Amino acid sequence: NFQPPVSGEEIMKTFNLKPSKEIGIIKDTIKEAILDGKIPNQHEAAYKLMLQKGKSLGLTTVEKV
């Protein structure tokens, strides 16, 4: 059972989301990119892709305090 290096919880915190379809879309995008060899199975690469995909879905990040 493959688990991407970015968790759903981390996605929710980053974009201030409750459980939603956007989280699944982002997780699937990361999973497919890793399995297709487009990004390495590492947190930094997955996090960058998460930010890109979130932006393309119209999400905004929460400012870190």
Side-chain angles (χ1 to χ4, degrees):
N1 190 9
F2 179 83
Q3 290 297 317
V6 174
S7 69
E9 185 175 291
E10 186 172 7
I11 297 167
M12 288 189 288
K13 284 182 181 179
T14 302
F15 295 109
N16 192 29
L17 295 172
K18 291 183 170 28
S20 63
K21 69 177 183 174
E22 286 82 6
I23 295 164
I25 291 168
I26 292 169
K27 285 183 76 174
D28 285 345
T29 299
I30 293 168
K31 176 182 167 184
E32 292 301 318
I34 291 168
L35 294 176
D36 291 344
K38 294 178 181 172
I39 65 168
N41 189 6
Q42 298 171 343
H43 183 266
E44 185 178 337
Y47 190 84
K48 285 181 182 177
L49 182 58
M50 173 196 74
L51 293 177
Q52 290 172 355
K53 186 62 179 179
K55 186 176 180 182
S56 77
L57 293 171
L59 303 175
T60 54
T61 57
V62 175
E63 292 295 321
K64 292 185 179 181
V65 179

